[in-house]
């Protein structure tokens, strides 16, 4: 971002005395946010519990200053990956690199990571300020800052997390959202190589979750800290992260920006896992997908043979006669300004959902009526025969 400075200078023009404006334009680059973290590289990381692979040869590169979400269902390996990066668990094989430094065999303290747990893990007998200072005061004497430096750092962080007046309070005197902010400040106090968050908003109610994750995004932009956070909340990952890592059974299924993950899923699994999705089985013939081998067909570059078409409810639309698949309306649900039709397509095992805006000029098809529907934006995946 450039700042344009404009200076106006009075001058005399010819014989007149009317002031003229001379405009001097100077481009001044805005100072970039300080990047406090470092690159993180994961190389062929594996971790097994008995004969189950919690992590299976995972490779991942995270740039300095990135905010990355590890997203997946329970058992996908996201928390295991975070804990191996932190040094709380040891991998069976592979490497964890902070920049060019191999941290694979280093302890949690030697890695100097900031770790924030779901349930705050604040010390109840310590004040907010004492909790934030804990990591600094626990350092070996040779590396411990003096009292004045610690006090100054705590005051900076209290201001950063917008709790400047709460330093003398105890955790039980704070709300859940405030406690989690204190936990974040404590993790930041040590100037960590990376900041690791394990479902940081999981213990909070829905409204506080939304407020706190937006606050965390702003905090990240201020600090430039390399940050990884684990979540099973898709909305949280898509709203908050620079990039999203989707895990499945210990492997990375896709890495991409939120837009790439949502709009261009790399696999059926990602499409079905992220957001709401409709699926229709059929075949690809002559470059077109046909549900139940019946027209109309919809163009695709998937290979010929058995296939499945995925489409979001908001990308499914009512069509004119013979312009789409025939479907029977089995239910209509109203949610604020949106109406969702539940549709049954003959020969399909899963019902379809179609979303449209609830406006006065739009008539909702009656339950039991037959309509035609077509996909506006979709993806087709080939399937084994």
């Amino acid at each position: 971002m450039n700042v344009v400075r404009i200076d106006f200078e009075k001058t005399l023009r010819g014989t007149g005395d009317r002031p003229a404006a001379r405009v001097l334009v100077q481009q001044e680059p805005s100072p970039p946010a300080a990047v406090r973290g470092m690159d993180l590289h994961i190389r062929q990381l594996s971790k097994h519990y008995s004969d189950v692979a919690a992590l299976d040869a995972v490779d991942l590169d995270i740039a300095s200053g990135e905010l990355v979400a590890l997203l997946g269902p329970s058992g996908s390996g996201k928390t295991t990956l975070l804990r191996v990066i932190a040094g709380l668990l040891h991998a069976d094989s592979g490497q964890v690199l902070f920049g060019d430094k191999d941290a694979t065999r280093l302890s949690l303290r030697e890695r100097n990571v900031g770790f924030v747990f779901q349930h705050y893990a604040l010390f109840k007998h310590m004040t907010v300020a004492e909790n934030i200072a804990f990591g600094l005061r626990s350092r070996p004497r040779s590396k411990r800052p003096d009292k004045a430096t610690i006090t100054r750092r705590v005051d900076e962080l209290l201001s950063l997390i917008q709790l400047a007046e709460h330093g003398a309070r105890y955790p039980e005197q704070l709300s859940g959202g405030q406690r989690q902010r204190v936990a974040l400040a404590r993790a930041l106090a040590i100037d960590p190589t990376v900041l690791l968050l394990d479902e940081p908003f999981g213990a909070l109610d829905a409204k506080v979750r939304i407020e706190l994750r937006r606050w965390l995004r702003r905090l990240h932009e201020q600090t430039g800290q390399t940050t990884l956070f684990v979540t099973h909340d898709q909305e949280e990952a898509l709203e908050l992260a620079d990039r999203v890592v989707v895990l499945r059974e210990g492997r990375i299924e896709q890495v991409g920006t939120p837009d790439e993950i949502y709009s261009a899923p790399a696999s059926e699994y990602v499409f079905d896992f992220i957001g709401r999705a409709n699926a229709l089985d059929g075949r690809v013939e002559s470059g077109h997908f046909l549900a139940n081998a019946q027209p109309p067909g919809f163009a695709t570059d998937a290979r010929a043979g058995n296939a499945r078409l995925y489409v979001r409810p908001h990308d499914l639309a009512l069509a004119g006669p013979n312009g789409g698949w025939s479907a029977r309306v089995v239910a209509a649900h109203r949610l604020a300004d949106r109406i969702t039709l539940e549709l049954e397509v003959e020969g399909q095992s899963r019902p379809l959902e179609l979303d449209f805006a609830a406006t006065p000029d739009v008539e909702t098809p009656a339950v039991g009526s037959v309509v035609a529907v077509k996909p506006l934006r979709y993806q087709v995946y080939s399937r084994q025969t």
Side-chain angles (χ1 to χ4, degrees), residues 8 24 31 55 77 98 104 115 121 123 153 175 188 223 230 320 371:
F8 292 93
L24 307 174
L55 296 174
F98 293 154
T104 309
F115 202 100
F123 299 110
R153 180 67 174 144
S175 68
L188 289 169
T223 64
V230 161
V371 297

Side-chain angles (χ1 to χ4, degrees), residues 1-7 24-32:
M1 176 180 177
N2 288 331
V3 177
V4 179
R5 190 180 72 198
I6 302 178
D7 295 330
L24 307 174
V25 179
Q26 180 178 340
Q27 302 292 329
E28 297 179 349
S30 299

Side-chain angles (χ1 to χ4, degrees), residues 280-297:
L280 290 100
D281 290 318
R283 290 185 59 81
V284 173
E285 298 178 4
S286 302
H288 288 78
F289 174 87
L290 295 97
N292 303 326
Q294 298 295 321

